[in-house]
Each structure stands twice: as structure tokens, then as C-alpha cells.
Amino acid sequence: MRNLLLALQNHAIRSLIRQIHTLQESKHLKNFLKSLGLIALVISVTSTVSAQKRSLLATEPQVQEDHADAAMKWLQDFRNPMHEANYDSVTSAGYNQLIQMDNRPAMKSLSSAAWIQVATSQGGNVSGRPSAIAFDPTGPIYLTVTTGGLWKTIDNGKTWTSLSNNWKTLDVGGVAVNAKNPQTVYAGTGISYGTLGGEGDLNGIGVYQSFDGGLNWVLVDSGNTAVTCQIEVNPGDTNYVYRATTLGIRISTNAGATWRIPSNASFSGFTSLVLDPKNPAVLYAAGGGVVKKSMDSGETWQNLSGYPTGQTMSLAMSQSSSDTLYLSTGNGVYQNLSASSSTLALSSDRGATWKTQSSAVKYTGTQAYYDNAIAVNPTRPASVIVGGLDIYSSTNSGAGLNKQTEWTDDPSSSNYTHADIHVLKYNPYTGQLFALTDGGIFHSSTNGLSWVQDMNADLGTMLFVGGDMAVDPSSGKPTCFCAGAQDNGLNAFTPGQDSYYRSIRGGDGGTMFISPKDGQTCYGTYVDATLYCSQNLGATWINGTGFDTQDPDNILGTGIITEGTPFYMIYDVADGDPSVIAACGNKNLFLTTNTGVDGFPQVTNVGSGTTIVGSVTTVHIAKADDQTLYLGTSGKALYFSNDQGQSWTRSTTPSSFAGVPSSITTDANDPTHVFMTVMGATVKSHFYYSLDGGVTWTAPTSNLPALNYQRVAIDQNGIIYVGHDFGVLRSGDTGKTWYPVADGFPMTMVTSLRTRGNYLLASTYGRGMYYIDLTQVPPITSDGVAAATAPTNISISAVYPSVVPSGAPRSTVDYSLQVGEPATLMLYDVLGRQERVLMNQWESTGQHELSADLSGLPSGQHYVVLTAGGMSVTKPIVIQ
């Protein structure tokens, strides 16, 4: 097999691969391969690789998905790049500072642009990775998404509403609904990756609880860092709520008000929890290599025995049988199928004894430490479903497992679900079966025999590492958006042509760049030292120079490939000449002036002989002069070059500078005006600027919250923008004072930030990409702001009464939308700080009326703000 793979490098087979690339999204692909006698080869190859890829690009040797541990480490390092021990507490305090920021300029404007989400899913079939699902008996469905927050649908997934845009974290691992009072919803925070390459988890901060169906939330068990993997509400006594966490089973006996771990339940690594449907005081928990049982509502636990153990362990029980309990376990080693195992065990006596039903079918592939899901039909206890890379079903209690899905198939086919399956769960009220995967949510009404992907279409949860946009120079309108997504390759979206992102290259996707010079040349990265170039926005990719024999499209040279790069390579492309590219290796900077035709020479330690202290962490080619380069290093140093890297000068930095540079940019008209952010939440200053080409730097005293700032951008009017853990801020006075940009942006991690024309574009890891028309954002002035052009697509026609008594504060809000779309109606205080959510849903076209409850709010002036369709409108209201 290895020899066959290597043979793909010759010219004839390479031509064949390019044909396969062209057909990779086509329903005719499998027939094409069959006609060439290659389908067996493809199946053999792809069965041993990880699940993030589904196109036949995955058969090329360079796209080997053996890096899930590295992907997790990248995310942890991006969030906490300085590895600060108290990072969680610092960013929690920074979040509190952020939401208390004075935003009076926004309130003084009658209207303003709002952030617009570029698109939602990939092809309408694939979205980000969900972690849990819960069902309201009256119909709504709740879905948590790792790094993407909590979502709700009231129309079985046709449309989704994000419920967590202003939470302190969008890392959500569990959700549950009180079946007796469905307005009460619980969402547990944190993400468990405990078995993924030995890397740690993303800590939780407690549980968000809602009493109004998800409109407004309170944080309970606040400050608890345990990662919630599953939440269950006792249907017999809803005061009892249980959480399976990485630090044990946490229980509440007062409907979530307080939480604790019973004295003998502080075992670690629990990811699966089952309640006996006949007697919910009986519980089973699995994880960390053990299975335990409680007979007294979780107060005491006993060890069970006789079951197979594994790195991952998942339990399931049919709603119609308390005797029948299933356990799926997995053990895996990366890319080593022979060392991986998937075992399905059955207990017919409530956990007293166990029998292995299946161990020969490796349904978790080589991903057993990462993928392991199981569900049992609610009415047929012998009907069991398991999943890992693909989904298998059995009608005889797991003794025979039949494969039902093929993750390498066309994403719209009935036997396709995205690979890396983490949850399988039935809706107990409808019998519908759901699969939660690295590519989103899939559902089946045939007990897993066929699958539908349509619930992903409206989920804006793509995990983008970095993106860019092109703007038409004559009309000033966006013409294309591109971004790379973990698990889902390189993506493009053309307004007016596409309904969703389209996949333009498979595998994992890193940062993308579109040249503002021609609007057609684009770059994108795979993992490690891999850079691709297209001169037609991803329709085709130019040949590399042959330096990388494993990947004929990789334009990087041997020097940087040998040295290696960060997991997602950091690079910059000259705005005025897309053939000039600077790329950061693990140590040095490499640069080409002809798109890599002559390779990427190392440029950091040549010419003057300047020794760069530390490793390069960020690079910028000045927008107005591609001879001028700026770079920052892990040695907490800044360097600049005025001769395209032939010689370097170390900057003089202020004494307060104690961080590692994370992002650098320059004024579009003056290469000597430089702006920089530094990594870390606890550094003294997060933003610096230089007006002399990097010779000296200033850290202005500012109101920036204590957060991690990874990205900086500047627009044509000199307004500076920084991206952080929870969004984007702007400054009009060179960083002295900062304000939120506009409504409509979720509290989420920004991975890239760019200004193109009159637009600002922000990529996020878990909530897709957003952009905003800066000409419609009210300018910051000392006297407030002028109102932007009144929007025509939305309006608040009346708030009555506009002055309400404090004793019974209610008012009616009349508003209208010209088109049906997601909309929010919020209440803000006089400083522009959010107080209450009045409406958050997909709103239909036309006139609407809402009775607003204003009880509990202080006397004085407040503001009602309607946001939809990329605009916000504001009306004042007074509580006497």
C-alpha cells in the first residue's frame, strides 16, 4: 500500500488526482473511481486515516490526519499563549470589565450597522462540532456546540437561534431540559478532550440556567472548573439534576441552585451518565476506565465489575427496559488500526454481569480515543446503534453489527454522516435518531438506515482559523469570502451566487488570504509547512516547484519544510504584490518574491548578521511598501527591515513591554505607522504603536480589558481594531479609549481580523465569519456620535408608553422587518450595557408587537434596540 501511495507522485497519476479533485464534490465520483478500478484503493487508504476529510484529496500522501492532538494544542496555545496559570480567572475578570465598558456612543445613535454573518454551513450539509442535544416535549430542540455555544430550533432544524451570544464562554459540553417545566433549561460549560493525545480540557465555569426557554440566563455553580460532559434532570423529581464531569458526578437537589459532589463520587473522567427510565433514582456513570452505579439518586456509588475497559466509555439504556444496559468502549493508537479496538458489551441484569457482544468490528477505526457513541432504540431494547468513524446498527443486541454510513461518500447522500461521531441519541418524543459529529448534526427517521443532513444548513458554527474577503474596487461591494476551517478544509463564498460556503480544498484548513490587488489570487494553508496558491479563488491550484515531493501543490521550499512551522502556519502576503509572501517557520522567517518559484529563502539571519532572539511569532509586510517588513519573536522582541529582509534592526520597546507579539499591521498609506498586539491576558499593556517605522514604541494608557489580544487591524480612516477572547473593540484615538464596534457579534474568540475597502472582517473559531460596513458605524466623537443613515429593512415604529411607572413597568414595542431573518430585541442601560433579552428568534416578515417586562430594572433612561439584517435601531424608554 505504501508503494502504491508513493506511486501517486508520478506525473500521470498526478493528472488523475487532479481529475479526482474536480469531481470530489460530485455524486459521480464513486462511479468514476470504479471505472478506473481504484475504489478499493481509496477505501483501503481512507479507512486508516482520521475523519476530518471526506474528499478524495484525502488520498494524497500530504493529507494525513494524524494530528488531532496537535490541533488541540494549537487551540489551547491560541487561547492561552503565555501559559498563564491563572488564565481562567484573569479572563473572567476581563469579561466583567468588557461588559461594563462605557458604550454611550452607540446609544446616542438612532441607527447603526450591525455585524453580518457571512454564511452558515459548508454546502448546507456540514457545520461545526456539536457536543450535546436535548429535547423539549413541546417540540423545540437544544444543541450545544464545542466553542460555538448553545442553539435552539423550533422547526426541527430548518432555522436555529443562538442563545449564548453574551455568555462568558461558548465552550458548552452538556444540555438538559426539565420535561415537567420545559422553560427551565440547563447548559453545562467546558469541553472535554481528556483522551485526545494526552492534552487537557477547556475548563468550565459552571452551569447556565434559563427559566424562560433560553432568552435570559443565570450562571450557577459559578467558578467551578469541572468540564460538563452530560446533564440529566430526574424526570421523577426535577429538583434532582446530575452532571457527569471530568472531576466527578456533581448533583443538585434544588433544581440547580447549588451543586456538590457526593463524598464518594469525586472520581475523575466521567463522560457518560444513564438514568433508569423506570426508577430514575438509579443511575449509572462511566468514564476514566470504570463504571459505577447509584441506587439513591447519586448520593452513594458502587463499583461494577466484569465489563471491558477503554480510553473512552459510553453507556446506553432503552427507555422500555431497565434490565438492558449497553457499554461501548474504545482503545486506540493514532493511525494504527491493529492497535485499536471497539468493544460492545451487554448487561441484561442492570450491570451485575456483562457479556461482550462485539469486538471484531472496529467501528471507531483508529479514533477510539476520540470517537465513541452509542444509543438504544426507545421501544426495542435489542436495537442498538454505535458510531465512531461511521455508524453501525444491530437488531440482535449487538451480536451482529451492520455498517450504515460511509463518511467518504457524497455529503448529500442518504448514507453519509461526517466522521468523528461523538453522540448518538434518540428524541424520546418523536423517535428520531440524531448523530453529533465533527461535521455537525445528522438525523434519521429509519433507525439509522438512512440519514439526512439538512439540520446543518442554518448552523453558523464553522471553526475558522483565518479568513479574508475581496471587495470590488468600483462598486465597493464584497465579491468573495474565503476561510480555512479545522476539520473542513478551505472554503469560499461568493455573495449572490452561493447559499453556503463551498469546499475548495479538503483536509484541515488554516489561514486564507485574498489579494486586494486583483481579487483573484488566494492562498490557504493545510497543517504544518503547507501553503497552496490559486489564481482563480480556489477553482484550480497552481503547481508547486517540486520542493515538496509529498505534495505537488505545496509552494513552500525545502528550507522551511525542513525547519517546520507552527501547526497552522503564520504568514503574510503583500497587499500590492501577491507574489511576495513571508512565512514563519518554527524558528526563522522565510520570504519569496515570486510565489515560491525559486523557493523561500531564509531571511532573518542574513545581511547585517542580526541575530533574532527567540522564534518568529508574527510577521507583517507593510501595506504601502513591500520592502518594509516587521516581525515579532518569542523572545519578546520587535524587528524591522527596510530592504525586504536583507538586514534587520531591533526596535526600542518601552519598559512595560513584557509580552510576545501576536499581530502587527500598518497604515495603508504610511509604512512607518505600525500597530501591534501582544499575547497574554496578564501583560501590563496589550496594544502598542510606533510612528517612526518601529524604531520606538508607545503603550498608551487605555481601558482595554485584561484579555488575550491576538489580532489587530486598521481601516482607511485610521480607526484601530483589536480582536480578543470575546470579540472586537475599536479605538479612534490611537488606542487610548476603546469601544465595542457594533451589535450582532457573539462573545467568541477572534482568530483573524482584516479591513478590506470599507469593511471589517472577523473570523471566529466556532461561530464562522462576520463582517460589517464601517461607513454605517457611527463615528466616535467627543460629543457623542451622529446617527447613521436610517435603515430601511428594520424599524421600531413605537414604544408605548415610553415612560412607565416603576411599580408595574411594562411597555409595548412595535417593530417590523422587511424580510424574515434572525432578530433580537435587547434592553440596554444608559451606558450601553446589555440588561435583558426581550426577543431572540428567527422573525418573520412584517409587523410585530411585543409586551416587554421591565420589572427589576432601575429607574432612569434605558434603550430598546432591534438588531436584524446587518442594522440596529434604537428607541429610548424611561422607568420612573
Side-chain angles (χ1 to χ4, degrees):
M1 178 58 66
R2 177 175 177 80
N3 291 335
L4 283 172
L5 284 174
L6 293 177
L8 292 176
Q9 295 172 33
N10 67 53
H11 180 75
I13 300 299
R14 192 177 301 169
S15 175
L16 172 61
I17 290 176
R18 296 193 189 284
Q19 295 179 57
I20 293 174
H21 293 179
T22 303
L23 292 171
Q24 61 185 347
E25 298 298 331
S26 168
K27 294 181 179 180
H28 304 296
L29 176 58
K30 186 174 289 186
N31 290 333
F32 172 73
L33 290 170
K34 281 182 177 179
S35 70
L36 297 173
L38 289 178
I39 191 69
L41 169 62
V42 173
I43 293 174
S44 177
V45 173
T46 55
S47 67
T48 63
V49 294
S50 173
Q52 277 82 330
K53 58 208 181 301
R54 50 178 172 72
S55 73
L56 266 293
L57 186 63
T59 62
E60 291 194 65
Q62 79 275 13
V63 187
Q64 296 296 321
E65 296 286 351
D66 55 354
H67 47 247
D69 54 343
M72 184 58 211
K73 188 176 186 305
W74 172 85
L75 176 57
Q76 292 174 323
D77 288 345
F78 193 92
R79 286 195 167 185
N80 185 10
M82 302 298 288
H83 301 142
E84 295 157 314
N86 60 340
Y87 178 76
D88 288 333
S89 60
V90 171
T91 53
S92 178
Y95 169 89
N96 292 332
Q97 296 168 19
L98 179 68
I99 63 174
Q100 293 298 317
M101 290 183 77
D102 184 348
N103 195 27
R104 277 176 286 189
M107 294 301 100
K108 292 180 180 179
S109 172
L110 298 179
S111 64
S112 170
W115 290 91
I116 301 172
Q117 190 164 43
V118 175
T120 50
S121 60
Q122 184 188 85
N125 308 117
V126 172
S127 60
R129 174 193 167 186
S131 53
I133 191 168
F135 308 101
D136 181 327
T138 65
I141 299 173
Y142 295 86
L143 185 75
T144 65
V145 181
T146 55
T147 70
L150 177 65
W151 297 73
K152 179 181 181 180
T153 179
I154 59 174
D155 53 16
N156 204 41
K158 181 180 179 181
T159 60
W160 291 91
T161 298
S162 171
L163 303 180
S164 52
N165 280 358
N166 290 285
W167 287 8
K168 193 179 292 188
T169 180
L170 296 191
D171 301 334
V172 191
V175 61
V177 177
N178 181 340
K180 290 185 176 179
N181 182 11
Q183 290 295 97
T184 301
V185 185
Y186 302 88
T189 62
I191 301 297
S192 175
Y193 289 95
T195 61
L196 184 56
E199 298 295 334
D201 304 323
L202 300 179
N203 287 340
I205 59 172
V207 176
Y208 277 96
Q209 184 176 15
S210 175
F211 301 101
D212 56 9
L215 270 182
N216 295 278
W217 298 86
V218 294
L219 184 62
V220 296
D221 204 18
S222 176
N224 182 271
T225 60
V227 174
T228 300
C229 302
Q230 188 176 343
I231 304 181
E232 298 291 341
V233 180
N234 187 321
D237 184 348
T238 56
N239 285 310
Y240 280 84
V241 190
Y242 310 98
R243 289 158 57 203
T245 82
T246 53
L247 299 178
I249 301 297
R250 296 185 68 81
I251 69 172
S252 173
T253 58
N254 52 14
T258 59
W259 296 80
R260 61 186 171 85
I261 296 181
S263 59
N264 66 338
S266 57
F267 36 84
S268 62
F270 274 77
T271 57
S272 187
L273 187 65
V274 167
L275 275 65
D276 187 323
K278 306 299 184 182
N279 180 9
V282 177
L283 294 86
Y284 301 85
V290 300
V291 180
K292 294 202 173 196
K293 180 177 182 179
S294 173
M295 303 287 289
D296 55 6
S297 300
E299 293 295 342
T300 60
W301 294 81
Q302 62 181 2
N303 289 322
L304 300 181
S305 60
Y307 49 82
T309 62
Q311 290 170 289
T312 54
M313 305 177 72
S314 298
L315 291 167
M317 177 180 283
S318 173
Q319 292 297 302
S320 60
S321 173
S322 297
D323 295 325
T324 307
L325 182 65
Y326 290 91
L327 173 66
S328 174
T329 67
N331 290 284
V333 177
Y334 251 127
Q335 301 304 302
N336 188 346
L337 188 61
S338 63
S340 300
S341 65
S342 309
T343 303
L344 177 61
L346 168 68
S347 174
S348 300
D349 51 14
R350 307 188 182 199
T353 60
W354 295 85
K355 178 184 178 182
T356 296
Q357 298 295 93
S358 173
S359 59
V361 178
K362 297 182 179 181
Y363 50 85
T364 55
T366 59
Q367 303 272 94
Y369 52 86
Y370 184 56
D371 308 329
N372 187 354
I374 185 170
V376 186
N377 187 285
T379 61
R380 301 196 301 273
S383 179
V384 60
I385 311 287
V386 292
L389 288 180
D390 281 304
I391 294 173
Y392 292 72
S393 68
S394 171
T395 57
N396 58 356
S397 302
L401 290 174
N402 300 306
K403 189 176 183 180
Q404 302 298 349
T405 63
E406 180 59 66
W407 67 266
T408 59
D409 214 335
D410 185 280
S412 62
S413 67
S414 62
N415 68 331
Y416 172 82
T417 60
H418 198 287
D420 294 335
I421 299 157
H422 303 284
V423 176
L424 288 164
K425 190 173 182 178
Y426 283 92
N427 183 332
Y429 311 109
T430 66
Q432 195 174 21
L433 175 62
F434 292 85
L436 309 187
T437 80
D438 271 8
I441 179 173
F442 301 83
H443 63 98
S444 171
S445 298
T446 59
N447 203 40
L449 298 181
S450 61
W451 293 85
V452 182
Q453 304 84 13
D454 59 356
M455 292 180 75
N456 287 304
D458 190 51
L459 271 175
T461 55
M462 297 289 283
L463 289 79
F464 285 134
V465 177
D468 203 351
M469 67 185 295
V471 175
D472 184 282
S474 57
S475 68
K477 300 297 183 182
T479 58
C480 186
F481 297 85
C482 287
Q486 185 181 347
D487 301 335
N488 287 304
L490 304 182
N491 300 266
F493 176 81
T494 302
Q497 173 180 309
D498 297 324
S499 299
Y500 309 102
Y501 292 109
R502 64 183 187 278
S503 174
I504 57 175
R505 195 166 188 110
D508 264 322
T511 298
M512 294 197 70
F513 173 94
I514 305 176
S515 171
K517 179 76 172 179
D518 59 23
Q520 291 293 311
T521 301
C522 72
Y523 293 88
T525 68
Y526 176 57
V527 302
D528 303 320
T530 310
L531 179 65
Y532 301 119
C533 176
S534 171
Q535 295 173 332
N536 50 20
L537 292 174
T540 60
W541 301 90
I542 68 171
N543 289 327
T545 56
F547 292 105
D548 184 357
T549 58
Q550 292 295 309
D551 187 347
D553 289 346
N554 187 5
I555 66 171
L556 294 181
T558 55
I560 189 169
I561 291 173
T562 301
E563 178 177 304
T565 69
F567 181 68
Y568 288 122
M569 189 181 73
I570 300 164
Y571 70 103
D572 195 22
V573 183
D575 277 7
D577 185 351
S579 65
V580 179
I581 313 160
C584 300
N586 282 331
K587 170 67 178 177
N588 296 291
L589 183 70
F590 298 79
L591 184 137
T592 179
T593 57
N594 56 8
T595 318
V597 172
D598 295 325
F600 274 72
Q602 176 185 318
V603 298
T604 42
N605 292 327
V606 298
S608 66
T610 301
T611 299
I612 301 299
V613 177
S615 301
V616 176
T617 57
T618 187
V619 62
H620 175 67
I621 304 171
K623 296 178 181 179
D625 177 17
D626 61 25
Q627 295 292 308
T628 302
L629 309 178
Y630 297 93
L631 64 85
T633 77
S634 61
K636 302 178 181 179
L638 282 301
Y639 298 85
F640 61 90
S641 171
N642 296 316
D643 53 15
Q644 216 167 56
Q646 293 305 301
S647 61
W648 294 90
T649 301
R650 182 168 179 171
S651 297
T652 300
T653 54
S655 58
S656 63
F657 184 72
V660 174
S662 56
S663 181
I664 302 171
T665 194
T666 52
D667 188 286
N669 300 308
D670 191 337
T672 67
H673 288 192
V674 198
F675 310 91
M676 175 183 64
T677 55
V678 298
M679 303 178 186
T682 60
V683 295
K684 185 175 181 180
S685 298
H686 301 94
F687 171 80
Y688 293 79
Y689 68 88
S690 172
L691 301 180
D692 55 14
V695 176
T696 60
W697 293 81
T698 299
T701 301
S702 73
N703 63 331
L704 276 178
L707 297 169
N708 181 40
Y709 294 85
Q710 284 275 22
R711 297 293 180 255
V712 63
I714 183 171
D715 70 16
Q716 299 173 116
N717 298 313
I719 305 298
I720 302 163
Y721 305 88
V722 290
H724 53 81
D725 301 286
F726 299 108
V728 185
L729 295 172
R730 64 171 175 159
S731 173
D733 56 7
T734 324
K736 297 182 183 64
T737 54
W738 297 85
Y739 298 92
V741 176
D743 281 343
F745 198 91
M747 291 282 199
T748 190
M749 180 180 73
V750 173
T751 52
S752 68
L753 195 63
R754 297 186 190 274
T755 54
R756 297 297 191 200
N758 292 319
Y759 294 91
L760 176 66
L761 176 74
S763 304
T764 78
Y765 195 79
R767 290 297 306 274
M769 281 197 300
Y770 290 79
Y771 72 103
I772 190 168
D773 183 349
L774 297 174
T775 64
Q776 296 299 307
V777 176
I780 304 168
T781 69
S782 57
D783 298 325
V785 296
T789 303
T792 59
N793 57 328
I794 62 172
S795 67
I796 299 177
S797 56
V799 176
Y800 57 94
S802 58
V803 178
V804 298
S806 58
R810 295 194 73 90
S811 186
T812 298
V813 181
D814 286 347
Y815 60 97
S816 64
L817 284 73
Q818 281 201 352
V819 295
E821 57 194 340
T824 61
L825 202 61
M826 305 284 194
L827 204 65
Y828 290 81
D829 68 11
V830 70
L831 296 180
R833 300 175 299 197
Q834 183 181 314
E835 297 177 294
R836 186 167 296 174
V837 181
L838 303 176
M839 179 272 294
N840 176 23
Q841 63 192 32
W842 183 281
E843 193 65 284
S844 60
T845 303
Q847 299 287 330
H848 302 275
E849 181 178 280
L850 182 140
S851 178
D853 179 8
L854 308 179
S855 60
L857 297 173
S859 300
Q861 184 161 292
H862 302 260
Y863 296 91
V864 177
V865 179
L866 172 66
T867 301
M871 293 298 293
S872 292
V873 290
T874 302
K875 290 280 189 181
I877 188 169
V878 176
I879 300 176
Q880 289 183 329

